[in-house]
PDB file of all heavy atoms in Angstrom:
ATOM      1  N   MET A  30    -143.522   1.634 131.858  1.00 51.00           N
ATOM      2  CA  MET A  30    -143.969   0.813 132.985  1.00 51.00           C
ATOM      3  C   MET A  30    -144.756  -0.386 132.470  1.00 51.00           C
ATOM      4  O   MET A  30    -145.431  -0.306 131.452  1.00 51.00           O
ATOM      5  CB  MET A  30    -144.864   1.614 133.935  1.00 51.00           C
ATOM      6  CG  MET A  30    -144.132   2.653 134.744  1.00 51.00           C
ATOM      7  SD  MET A  30    -142.863   1.992 135.817  1.00 51.00           S
ATOM      8  CE  MET A  30    -143.833   1.391 137.174  1.00 51.00           C
ATOM      9  N   ASN A  77    -134.235  -9.570 142.211  1.00 98.00           N
ATOM     10  CA  ASN A  77    -133.392  -8.592 142.916  1.00 98.00           C
ATOM     11  C   ASN A  77    -131.937  -9.040 142.862  1.00 98.00           C
ATOM     12  O   ASN A  77    -131.647 -10.224 143.072  1.00 98.00           O
ATOM     13  CB  ASN A  77    -133.782  -8.505 144.396  1.00 98.00           C
ATOM     14  CG  ASN A  77    -135.144  -7.880 144.604  1.00 98.00           C
ATOM     15  OD1 ASN A  77    -135.433  -6.824 144.041  1.00 98.00           O
ATOM     16  ND2 ASN A  77    -135.979  -8.523 145.407  1.00 98.00           N
ATOM     17  N   TYR A 106    -128.080   2.535 152.002  1.00 98.00           N
ATOM     18  CA  TYR A 106    -128.785   1.757 150.975  1.00 98.00           C
ATOM     19  C   TYR A 106    -128.868   2.621 149.740  1.00 98.00           C
ATOM     20  O   TYR A 106    -129.336   3.763 149.811  1.00 98.00           O
ATOM     21  CB  TYR A 106    -130.174   1.404 151.514  1.00 98.00           C
ATOM     22  CG  TYR A 106    -131.187   0.942 150.477  1.00 98.00           C
ATOM     23  CD1 TYR A 106    -131.476  -0.408 150.312  1.00 98.00           C
ATOM     24  CD2 TYR A 106    -131.891   1.861 149.691  1.00 98.00           C
ATOM     25  CE1 TYR A 106    -132.427  -0.837 149.384  1.00 98.00           C
ATOM     26  CE2 TYR A 106    -132.840   1.437 148.768  1.00 98.00           C
ATOM     27  CZ  TYR A 106    -133.105   0.092 148.622  1.00 98.00           C
ATOM     28  OH  TYR A 106    -134.042  -0.330 147.714  1.00 98.00           O
ATOM     29  N   MET A 108    -129.771   2.646 145.382  1.00 98.00           N
ATOM     30  CA  MET A 108    -130.220   1.965 144.164  1.00 98.00           C
ATOM     31  C   MET A 108    -129.466   2.512 142.969  1.00 98.00           C
ATOM     32  O   MET A 108    -129.429   3.745 142.775  1.00 98.00           O
ATOM     33  CB  MET A 108    -131.690   2.260 143.934  1.00 98.00           C
ATOM     34  CG  MET A 108    -132.616   1.385 144.694  1.00 98.00           C
ATOM     35  SD  MET A 108    -134.274   1.867 144.223  1.00 98.00           S
ATOM     36  CE  MET A 108    -134.948   0.282 143.949  1.00 98.00           C
ATOM     37  N   SER A 112    -131.242   0.240 138.067  1.00 98.00           N
ATOM     38  CA  SER A 112    -131.782  -0.921 138.791  1.00 98.00           C
ATOM     39  C   SER A 112    -133.293  -1.084 138.637  1.00 98.00           C
ATOM     40  O   SER A 112    -133.840  -2.128 138.971  1.00 98.00           O
ATOM     41  CB  SER A 112    -131.442  -0.809 140.281  1.00 98.00           C
ATOM     42  OG  SER A 112    -132.091   0.317 140.833  1.00 98.00           O
ATOM     43  N   VAL A 113    -133.960  -0.043 138.163  1.00 97.00           N
ATOM     44  CA  VAL A 113    -135.419  -0.101 138.000  1.00 97.00           C
ATOM     45  C   VAL A 113    -135.782   0.318 136.577  1.00 97.00           C
ATOM     46  O   VAL A 113    -134.949   0.862 135.859  1.00 97.00           O
ATOM     47  CB  VAL A 113    -136.131   0.822 139.026  1.00 97.00           C
ATOM     48  CG1 VAL A 113    -136.196   0.173 140.380  1.00 97.00           C
ATOM     49  CG2 VAL A 113    -135.457   2.178 139.110  1.00 97.00           C
ATOM     50  N   GLN A 114    -137.048   0.067 136.189  1.00 94.00           N
ATOM     51  CA  GLN A 114    -137.441   0.327 134.793  1.00 94.00           C
ATOM     52  C   GLN A 114    -137.305   1.801 134.429  1.00 94.00           C
ATOM     53  O   GLN A 114    -136.769   2.144 133.386  1.00 94.00           O
ATOM     54  CB  GLN A 114    -138.873  -0.138 134.581  1.00 94.00           C
ATOM     55  CG  GLN A 114    -138.914  -1.615 134.241  1.00 94.00           C
ATOM     56  CD  GLN A 114    -140.323  -2.065 133.933  1.00 94.00           C
ATOM     57  OE1 GLN A 114    -141.290  -1.391 134.268  1.00 94.00           O
ATOM     58  NE2 GLN A 114    -140.437  -3.217 133.321  1.00 94.00           N
ATOM     59  N   GLU A 115    -137.815   2.687 135.307  1.00 94.00           N
ATOM     60  CA  GLU A 115    -137.660   4.113 135.039  1.00 94.00           C
ATOM     61  C   GLU A 115    -136.423   4.586 135.768  1.00 94.00           C
ATOM     62  O   GLU A 115    -136.302   4.347 136.966  1.00 94.00           O
ATOM     63  CB  GLU A 115    -138.881   4.874 135.537  1.00 94.00           C
ATOM     64  CG  GLU A 115    -139.913   5.002 134.444  1.00 94.00           C
ATOM     65  CD  GLU A 115    -141.184   5.646 134.920  1.00 94.00           C
ATOM     66  OE1 GLU A 115    -141.108   6.685 135.597  1.00 94.00           O
ATOM     67  OE2 GLU A 115    -142.244   5.085 134.617  1.00 94.00           O
ATOM     68  N   ARG A 116    -135.499   5.258 135.064  1.00 96.00           N
ATOM     69  CA  ARG A 116    -134.217   5.623 135.656  1.00 96.00           C
ATOM     70  C   ARG A 116    -134.391   6.249 137.034  1.00 96.00           C
ATOM     71  O   ARG A 116    -135.218   7.137 137.227  1.00 96.00           O
ATOM     72  CB  ARG A 116    -133.487   6.616 134.736  1.00 96.00           C
ATOM     73  CG  ARG A 116    -132.154   7.064 135.308  1.00 96.00           C
ATOM     74  CD  ARG A 116    -131.525   8.091 134.392  1.00 96.00           C
ATOM     75  NE  ARG A 116    -130.252   8.551 134.946  1.00 96.00           N
ATOM     76  CZ  ARG A 116    -130.141   9.517 135.821  1.00 96.00           C
ATOM     77  NH1 ARG A 116    -131.200  10.137 136.284  1.00 96.00           N
ATOM     78  NH2 ARG A 116    -128.951   9.871 136.274  1.00 96.00           N
ATOM     79  N   LYS A 117    -133.577   5.772 137.982  1.00 96.00           N
ATOM     80  CA  LYS A 117    -133.613   6.317 139.333  1.00 96.00           C
ATOM     81  C   LYS A 117    -132.473   7.320 139.448  1.00 96.00           C
ATOM     82  O   LYS A 117    -131.345   7.003 139.077  1.00 96.00           O
ATOM     83  CB  LYS A 117    -133.477   5.132 140.305  1.00 96.00           C
ATOM     84  CG  LYS A 117    -132.707   5.326 141.569  1.00 96.00           C
ATOM     85  CD  LYS A 117    -133.563   5.913 142.665  1.00 96.00           C
ATOM     86  CE  LYS A 117    -132.736   6.232 143.888  1.00 96.00           C
ATOM     87  NZ  LYS A 117    -131.604   7.131 143.699  1.00 96.00           N
ATOM     88  N   SER A 118    -132.752   8.537 139.963  1.00 96.00           N
ATOM     89  CA  SER A 118    -131.681   9.524 140.124  1.00 96.00           C
ATOM     90  C   SER A 118    -130.625   8.954 141.074  1.00 96.00           C
ATOM     91  O   SER A 118    -130.970   8.329 142.080  1.00 96.00           O
ATOM     92  CB  SER A 118    -132.262  10.804 140.713  1.00 96.00           C
ATOM     93  OG  SER A 118    -131.245  11.518 141.354  1.00 96.00           O
ATOM     94  N   SER A 122    -132.542   9.464 147.655  1.00 97.00           N
ATOM     95  CA  SER A 122    -133.951   9.869 147.733  1.00 97.00           C
ATOM     96  C   SER A 122    -134.416   9.749 149.180  1.00 97.00           C
ATOM     97  O   SER A 122    -133.759   9.123 150.002  1.00 97.00           O
ATOM     98  CB  SER A 122    -134.802   8.968 146.848  1.00 97.00           C
ATOM     99  OG  SER A 122    -134.706   7.634 147.314  1.00 97.00           O
ATOM    100  N   ARG A 124    -136.774   7.898 150.125  1.00 97.00           N
ATOM    101  CA  ARG A 124    -136.981   6.461 150.330  1.00 97.00           C
ATOM    102  C   ARG A 124    -135.668   5.772 150.707  1.00 97.00           C
ATOM    103  O   ARG A 124    -135.619   4.959 151.625  1.00 97.00           O
ATOM    104  CB  ARG A 124    -137.558   5.860 149.052  1.00 97.00           C
ATOM    105  CG  ARG A 124    -137.715   4.351 149.100  1.00 97.00           C
ATOM    106  CD  ARG A 124    -138.289   3.811 147.796  1.00 97.00           C
ATOM    107  NE  ARG A 124    -138.210   2.370 147.792  1.00 97.00           N
ATOM    108  CZ  ARG A 124    -137.147   1.687 147.422  1.00 97.00           C
ATOM    109  NH1 ARG A 124    -136.045   2.328 147.017  1.00 97.00           N
ATOM    110  NH2 ARG A 124    -137.138   0.370 147.455  1.00 97.00           N
ATOM    111  N   GLU A 127    -134.707   6.587 154.251  1.00 98.00           N
ATOM    112  CA  GLU A 127    -135.533   5.820 155.201  1.00 98.00           C
ATOM    113  C   GLU A 127    -135.085   4.360 155.243  1.00 98.00           C
ATOM    114  O   GLU A 127    -134.919   3.770 156.313  1.00 98.00           O
ATOM    115  CB  GLU A 127    -137.010   5.888 154.793  1.00 98.00           C
ATOM    116  CG  GLU A 127    -137.912   5.146 155.778  1.00 98.00           C
ATOM    117  CD  GLU A 127    -139.190   4.601 155.152  1.00 98.00           C
ATOM    118  OE1 GLU A 127    -139.759   5.261 154.282  1.00 98.00           O
ATOM    119  OE2 GLU A 127    -139.601   3.498 155.556  1.00 98.00           O
ATOM    120  N   LEU A 128    -134.857   3.783 154.066  1.00 98.00           N
ATOM    121  CA  LEU A 128    -134.458   2.366 154.047  1.00 98.00           C
ATOM    122  C   LEU A 128    -133.096   2.166 154.711  1.00 98.00           C
ATOM    123  O   LEU A 128    -132.889   1.167 155.406  1.00 98.00           O
ATOM    124  CB  LEU A 128    -134.453   1.813 152.623  1.00 98.00           C
ATOM    125  CG  LEU A 128    -135.815   1.663 151.962  1.00 98.00           C
ATOM    126  CD1 LEU A 128    -135.787   0.622 150.858  1.00 98.00           C
ATOM    127  CD2 LEU A 128    -136.896   1.302 152.944  1.00 98.00           C
ATOM    128  N   VAL A 156    -128.078  -1.692 145.268  1.00 98.00           N
ATOM    129  CA  VAL A 156    -129.100  -2.469 144.571  1.00 98.00           C
ATOM    130  C   VAL A 156    -128.813  -2.345 143.075  1.00 98.00           C
ATOM    131  O   VAL A 156    -128.890  -1.263 142.506  1.00 98.00           O
ATOM    132  CB  VAL A 156    -130.518  -1.953 144.904  1.00 98.00           C
ATOM    133  CG1 VAL A 156    -131.575  -2.741 144.156  1.00 98.00           C
ATOM    134  CG2 VAL A 156    -130.759  -2.015 146.404  1.00 98.00           C
ATOM    135  N   GLN A 158    -130.280  -4.458 140.721  1.00 98.00           N
ATOM    136  CA  GLN A 158    -131.549  -4.724 140.036  1.00 98.00           C
ATOM    137  C   GLN A 158    -132.616  -4.905 141.116  1.00 98.00           C
ATOM    138  O   GLN A 158    -132.375  -5.630 142.085  1.00 98.00           O
ATOM    139  CB  GLN A 158    -131.406  -5.991 139.197  1.00 98.00           C
ATOM    140  CG  GLN A 158    -132.591  -6.259 138.284  1.00 98.00           C
ATOM    141  CD  GLN A 158    -132.280  -7.368 137.282  1.00 98.00           C
ATOM    142  OE1 GLN A 158    -131.517  -7.173 136.343  1.00 98.00           O
ATOM    143  NE2 GLN A 158    -132.853  -8.520 137.507  1.00 98.00           N
ATOM    144  N   ALA A 159    -133.768  -4.225 140.938  1.00 98.00           N
ATOM    145  CA  ALA A 159    -134.803  -4.259 141.974  1.00 98.00           C
ATOM    146  C   ALA A 159    -136.086  -4.863 141.436  1.00 98.00           C
ATOM    147  O   ALA A 159    -136.488  -4.574 140.310  1.00 98.00           O
ATOM    148  CB  ALA A 159    -135.076  -2.843 142.477  1.00 98.00           C
ATOM    149  N   ASP A 160    -136.705  -5.707 142.243  1.00 97.00           N
ATOM    150  CA  ASP A 160    -137.998  -6.276 141.834  1.00 97.00           C
ATOM    151  C   ASP A 160    -138.891  -6.524 143.049  1.00 97.00           C
ATOM    152  O   ASP A 160    -139.476  -7.594 143.194  1.00 97.00           O
ATOM    153  CB  ASP A 160    -137.782  -7.575 141.049  1.00 97.00           C
ATOM    154  CG  ASP A 160    -139.087  -8.067 140.430  1.00 97.00           C
ATOM    155  OD1 ASP A 160    -139.852  -7.232 139.934  1.00 97.00           O
ATOM    156  OD2 ASP A 160    -139.356  -9.276 140.467  1.00 97.00           O
ATOM    157  N   GLY A 161    -138.950  -5.550 143.955  1.00 97.00           N
ATOM    158  CA  GLY A 161    -139.806  -5.693 145.139  1.00 97.00           C
ATOM    159  C   GLY A 161    -139.108  -6.442 146.240  1.00 97.00           C
ATOM    160  O   GLY A 161    -138.460  -7.461 146.008  1.00 97.00           O
ATOM    161  N   GLY A 162    -139.206  -5.913 147.462  1.00 98.00           N
ATOM    162  CA  GLY A 162    -138.598  -6.594 148.610  1.00 98.00           C
ATOM    163  C   GLY A 162    -137.106  -6.377 148.725  1.00 98.00           C
ATOM    164  O   GLY A 162    -136.392  -7.204 149.297  1.00 98.00           O
ATOM    165  N   THR A 163    -136.617  -5.221 148.239  1.00 98.00           N
ATOM    166  CA  THR A 163    -135.165  -5.008 148.299  1.00 98.00           C
ATOM    167  C   THR A 163    -134.682  -4.728 149.727  1.00 98.00           C
ATOM    168  O   THR A 163    -133.554  -5.042 150.057  1.00 98.00           O
ATOM    169  CB  THR A 163    -134.713  -3.850 147.395  1.00 98.00           C
ATOM    170  OG1 THR A 163    -135.398  -2.672 147.788  1.00 98.00           O
ATOM    171  CG2 THR A 163    -134.983  -4.140 145.937  1.00 98.00           C
ATOM    172  N   ARG A 164    -135.553  -4.135 150.575  1.00 98.00           N
ATOM    173  CA  ARG A 164    -135.071  -3.868 151.940  1.00 98.00           C
ATOM    174  C   ARG A 164    -134.774  -5.183 152.647  1.00 98.00           C
ATOM    175  O   ARG A 164    -133.790  -5.307 153.372  1.00 98.00           O
ATOM    176  CB  ARG A 164    -136.058  -2.995 152.717  1.00 98.00           C
ATOM    177  CG  ARG A 164    -137.225  -3.704 153.350  1.00 98.00           C
ATOM    178  CD  ARG A 164    -138.284  -2.754 153.800  1.00 98.00           C
ATOM    179  NE  ARG A 164    -138.822  -1.993 152.665  1.00 98.00           N
ATOM    180  CZ  ARG A 164    -139.473  -0.842 152.788  1.00 98.00           C
ATOM    181  NH1 ARG A 164    -139.675  -0.311 153.971  1.00 98.00           N
ATOM    182  NH2 ARG A 164    -139.919  -0.215 151.725  1.00 98.00           N
ATOM    183  N   CYS A 165    -135.637  -6.182 152.414  1.00 98.00           N
ATOM    184  CA  CYS A 165    -135.448  -7.471 153.084  1.00 98.00           C
ATOM    185  C   CYS A 165    -134.214  -8.185 152.538  1.00 98.00           C
ATOM    186  O   CYS A 165    -133.377  -8.670 153.305  1.00 98.00           O
ATOM    187  CB  CYS A 165    -136.691  -8.341 152.911  1.00 98.00           C
ATOM    188  SG  CYS A 165    -138.081  -7.688 153.845  1.00 98.00           S
ATOM    189  N   ALA A 166    -134.085  -8.229 151.212  1.00 98.00           N
ATOM    190  CA  ALA A 166    -132.916  -8.889 150.617  1.00 98.00           C
ATOM    191  C   ALA A 166    -131.631  -8.171 151.046  1.00 98.00           C
ATOM    192  O   ALA A 166    -130.594  -8.814 151.258  1.00 98.00           O
ATOM    193  CB  ALA A 166    -133.045  -8.922 149.105  1.00 98.00           C
ATOM    194  N   SER A 167    -131.710  -6.844 151.215  1.00 98.00           N
ATOM    195  CA  SER A 167    -130.531  -6.073 151.654  1.00 98.00           C
ATOM    196  C   SER A 167    -130.139  -6.455 153.077  1.00 98.00           C
ATOM    197  O   SER A 167    -128.942  -6.595 153.383  1.00 98.00           O
ATOM    198  CB  SER A 167    -130.826  -4.578 151.614  1.00 98.00           C
ATOM    199  OG  SER A 167    -131.134  -4.170 150.313  1.00 98.00           O
ATOM    200  N   ALA A 190    -140.663 -10.475 153.230  1.00 98.00           N
ATOM    201  CA  ALA A 190    -141.961  -9.815 153.397  1.00 98.00           C
ATOM    202  C   ALA A 190    -143.093 -10.782 153.078  1.00 98.00           C
ATOM    203  O   ALA A 190    -142.904 -11.777 152.385  1.00 98.00           O
ATOM    204  CB  ALA A 190    -142.043  -8.603 152.477  1.00 98.00           C
ATOM    205  N   LEU A 202    -143.491 -10.808 148.159  1.00 97.00           N
ATOM    206  CA  LEU A 202    -144.076 -10.115 147.004  1.00 97.00           C
ATOM    207  C   LEU A 202    -143.010  -9.608 146.050  1.00 97.00           C
ATOM    208  O   LEU A 202    -142.017  -9.030 146.476  1.00 97.00           O
ATOM    209  CB  LEU A 202    -144.907  -8.914 147.484  1.00 97.00           C
ATOM    210  CG  LEU A 202    -146.250  -9.211 148.123  1.00 97.00           C
ATOM    211  CD1 LEU A 202    -146.091  -9.696 149.552  1.00 97.00           C
ATOM    212  CD2 LEU A 202    -147.114  -7.969 148.107  1.00 97.00           C
ATOM    213  N   MET A 203    -143.237  -9.822 144.764  1.00 97.00           N
ATOM    214  CA  MET A 203    -142.369  -9.200 143.757  1.00 97.00           C
ATOM    215  C   MET A 203    -142.967  -7.848 143.395  1.00 97.00           C
ATOM    216  O   MET A 203    -144.066  -7.506 143.839  1.00 97.00           O
ATOM    217  CB  MET A 203    -142.224 -10.108 142.547  1.00 97.00           C
ATOM    218  CG  MET A 203    -143.540 -10.608 142.041  1.00 97.00           C
ATOM    219  SD  MET A 203    -143.542 -10.734 140.314  1.00 97.00           S
ATOM    220  CE  MET A 203    -144.923 -11.760 140.025  1.00 97.00           C
ATOM    221  N   ASP A 204    -142.237  -7.087 142.559  1.00 96.00           N
ATOM    222  CA  ASP A 204    -142.592  -5.682 142.326  1.00 96.00           C
ATOM    223  C   ASP A 204    -144.065  -5.462 141.950  1.00 96.00           C
ATOM    224  O   ASP A 204    -144.740  -4.641 142.555  1.00 96.00           O
ATOM    225  CB  ASP A 204    -141.662  -5.112 141.255  1.00 96.00           C
ATOM    226  CG  ASP A 204    -141.817  -3.612 141.127  1.00 96.00           C
ATOM    227  OD1 ASP A 204    -141.923  -2.943 142.173  1.00 96.00           O
ATOM    228  OD2 ASP A 204    -141.867  -3.118 140.003  1.00 96.00           O
ATOM    229  N   THR A 205    -144.566  -6.236 140.956  1.00 95.00           N
ATOM    230  CA  THR A 205    -145.950  -6.010 140.502  1.00 95.00           C
ATOM    231  C   THR A 205    -146.926  -6.307 141.627  1.00 95.00           C
ATOM    232  O   THR A 205    -147.906  -5.577 141.822  1.00 95.00           O
ATOM    233  CB  THR A 205    -146.268  -6.915 139.296  1.00 95.00           C
ATOM    234  OG1 THR A 205    -145.151  -6.902 138.424  1.00 95.00           O
ATOM    235  CG2 THR A 205    -147.502  -6.459 138.555  1.00 95.00           C
ATOM    236  N   ASP A 207    -146.325  -6.068 144.783  1.00 94.00           N
ATOM    237  CA  ASP A 207    -146.140  -5.002 145.760  1.00 94.00           C
ATOM    238  C   ASP A 207    -146.942  -3.763 145.339  1.00 94.00           C
ATOM    239  O   ASP A 207    -147.642  -3.143 146.139  1.00 94.00           O
ATOM    240  CB  ASP A 207    -144.635  -4.696 145.847  1.00 94.00           C
ATOM    241  CG  ASP A 207    -144.285  -3.760 146.982  1.00 94.00           C
ATOM    242  OD1 ASP A 207    -145.209  -3.132 147.527  1.00 94.00           O
ATOM    243  OD2 ASP A 207    -143.111  -3.635 147.315  1.00 94.00           O
ATOM    244  N   LYS A 208    -146.850  -3.433 144.036  1.00 92.00           N
ATOM    245  CA  LYS A 208    -147.491  -2.189 143.561  1.00 92.00           C
ATOM    246  C   LYS A 208    -148.997  -2.354 143.411  1.00 92.00           C
ATOM    247  O   LYS A 208    -149.759  -1.466 143.756  1.00 92.00           O
ATOM    248  CB  LYS A 208    -146.874  -1.777 142.228  1.00 92.00           C
ATOM    249  CG  LYS A 208    -145.426  -1.366 142.385  1.00 92.00           C
ATOM    250  CD  LYS A 208    -145.029  -0.286 141.398  1.00 92.00           C
ATOM    251  CE  LYS A 208    -143.666   0.271 141.751  1.00 92.00           C
ATOM    252  NZ  LYS A 208    -142.563  -0.392 141.081  1.00 92.00           N
ATOM    253  N   ASP A 213    -148.230  -4.889 152.251  1.00 97.00           N
ATOM    254  CA  ASP A 213    -146.870  -5.432 152.251  1.00 97.00           C
ATOM    255  C   ASP A 213    -146.353  -5.358 153.689  1.00 97.00           C
ATOM    256  O   ASP A 213    -146.426  -4.297 154.316  1.00 97.00           O
ATOM    257  CB  ASP A 213    -146.021  -4.553 151.305  1.00 97.00           C
ATOM    258  CG  ASP A 213    -144.597  -5.027 151.172  1.00 97.00           C
ATOM    259  OD1 ASP A 213    -144.354  -6.231 151.350  1.00 97.00           O
ATOM    260  OD2 ASP A 213    -143.717  -4.184 150.871  1.00 97.00           O
ATOM    261  N   PRO A 215    -142.993  -6.242 155.598  1.00 98.00           N
ATOM    262  CA  PRO A 215    -141.618  -6.733 155.696  1.00 98.00           C
ATOM    263  C   PRO A 215    -141.254  -7.094 157.147  1.00 98.00           C
ATOM    264  O   PRO A 215    -141.595  -6.345 158.064  1.00 98.00           O
ATOM    265  CB  PRO A 215    -140.764  -5.553 155.215  1.00 98.00           C
ATOM    266  CG  PRO A 215    -141.712  -4.509 154.733  1.00 98.00           C
ATOM    267  CD  PRO A 215    -143.031  -4.783 155.361  1.00 98.00           C
ATOM    268  N   GLN A 229    -142.706  -3.859 159.524  1.00 98.00           N
ATOM    269  CA  GLN A 229    -143.368  -2.686 158.951  1.00 98.00           C
ATOM    270  C   GLN A 229    -144.657  -3.141 158.273  1.00 98.00           C
ATOM    271  O   GLN A 229    -144.801  -4.332 157.963  1.00 98.00           O
ATOM    272  CB  GLN A 229    -142.453  -2.039 157.897  1.00 98.00           C
ATOM    273  CG  GLN A 229    -141.194  -1.439 158.476  1.00 98.00           C
ATOM    274  CD  GLN A 229    -140.391  -0.704 157.415  1.00 98.00           C
ATOM    275  OE1 GLN A 229    -139.852  -1.305 156.504  1.00 98.00           O
ATOM    276  NE2 GLN A 229    -140.319   0.608 157.551  1.00 98.00           N
ATOM    277  N   ASP A 231    -147.300  -1.727 155.106  1.00 95.00           N
ATOM    278  CA  ASP A 231    -147.736  -0.730 154.141  1.00 95.00           C
ATOM    279  C   ASP A 231    -149.056  -1.246 153.570  1.00 95.00           C
ATOM    280  O   ASP A 231    -149.081  -2.311 152.961  1.00 95.00           O
ATOM    281  CB  ASP A 231    -146.656  -0.617 153.047  1.00 95.00           C
ATOM    282  CG  ASP A 231    -146.963   0.476 152.062  1.00 95.00           C
ATOM    283  OD1 ASP A 231    -147.896   1.255 152.312  1.00 95.00           O
ATOM    284  OD2 ASP A 231    -146.267   0.545 151.029  1.00 95.00           O
TER     285      ASP A 231
HETATM  286  N1  UDP B  23    -139.010   0.893 142.825  1.00 85.99           N
HETATM  287  C1  UDP B  23    -138.937   1.545 141.611  1.00 85.99           C
HETATM  288  N2  UDP B  23    -138.390   2.801 141.588  1.00 85.99           N
HETATM  289  C2  UDP B  23    -137.924   3.446 142.702  1.00 85.99           C
HETATM  290  C3  UDP B  23    -138.034   2.774 143.936  1.00 85.99           C
HETATM  291  C4  UDP B  23    -138.580   1.505 143.961  1.00 85.99           C
HETATM  292  O1  UDP B  23    -139.330   1.007 140.582  1.00 85.99           O
HETATM  293  O2  UDP B  23    -137.437   4.584 142.647  1.00 85.99           O
HETATM  294  C5  UDP B  23    -139.561  -0.477 142.856  1.00 85.99           C
HETATM  295  C6  UDP B  23    -138.468  -1.510 143.145  1.00 85.99           C
HETATM  296  O3  UDP B  23    -138.658  -2.651 142.337  1.00 85.99           O
HETATM  297  C7  UDP B  23    -138.707  -1.842 144.603  1.00 85.99           C
HETATM  298  C8  UDP B  23    -140.228  -1.753 144.641  1.00 85.99           C
HETATM  299  O4  UDP B  23    -140.530  -0.601 143.878  1.00 85.99           O
HETATM  300  O5  UDP B  23    -138.191  -3.097 144.950  1.00 85.99           O
HETATM  301  C9  UDP B  23    -140.837  -1.654 146.025  1.00 85.99           C
HETATM  302  O6  UDP B  23    -140.286  -0.605 146.730  1.00 85.99           O
HETATM  303  P1  UDP B  23    -140.516  -0.401 148.293  1.00 85.99           P
HETATM  304  O7  UDP B  23    -140.310   1.039 148.599  1.00 85.99           O
HETATM  305  O8  UDP B  23    -141.793  -1.071 148.698  1.00 85.99           O
HETATM  306  O9  UDP B  23    -139.276  -1.194 148.963  1.00 85.99           O
HETATM  307  P2  UDP B  23    -138.841  -2.721 148.852  1.00 85.99           P
HETATM  308  O10 UDP B  23    -140.100  -3.547 148.637  1.00 85.99           O
HETATM  309  O11 UDP B  23    -137.892  -2.812 147.685  1.00 85.99           O
HETATM  310  O12 UDP B  23    -138.184  -3.014 150.151  1.00 85.99           O
END
Side-chain angles (χ1 to χ4, degrees):
M30 289 299 281
N77 291 311
Y106 164 101
M108 277 182 134
S112 64
V113 281
Q114 274 184 343
E115 269 175 47
R116 179 183 179 275
K117 144 85 186 57
S118 156
S122 62
R124 175 180 170 275
E127 182 208 323
L128 291 204
V156 179
Q158 188 169 287
D160 189 40
T163 58
R164 82 193 61 200
C165 291
S167 299
L202 286 77
M203 49 144 163
D204 189 42
T205 318
D207 189 345
K208 293 212 170 92
D213 182 27
Q229 293 185 292
D231 185 9

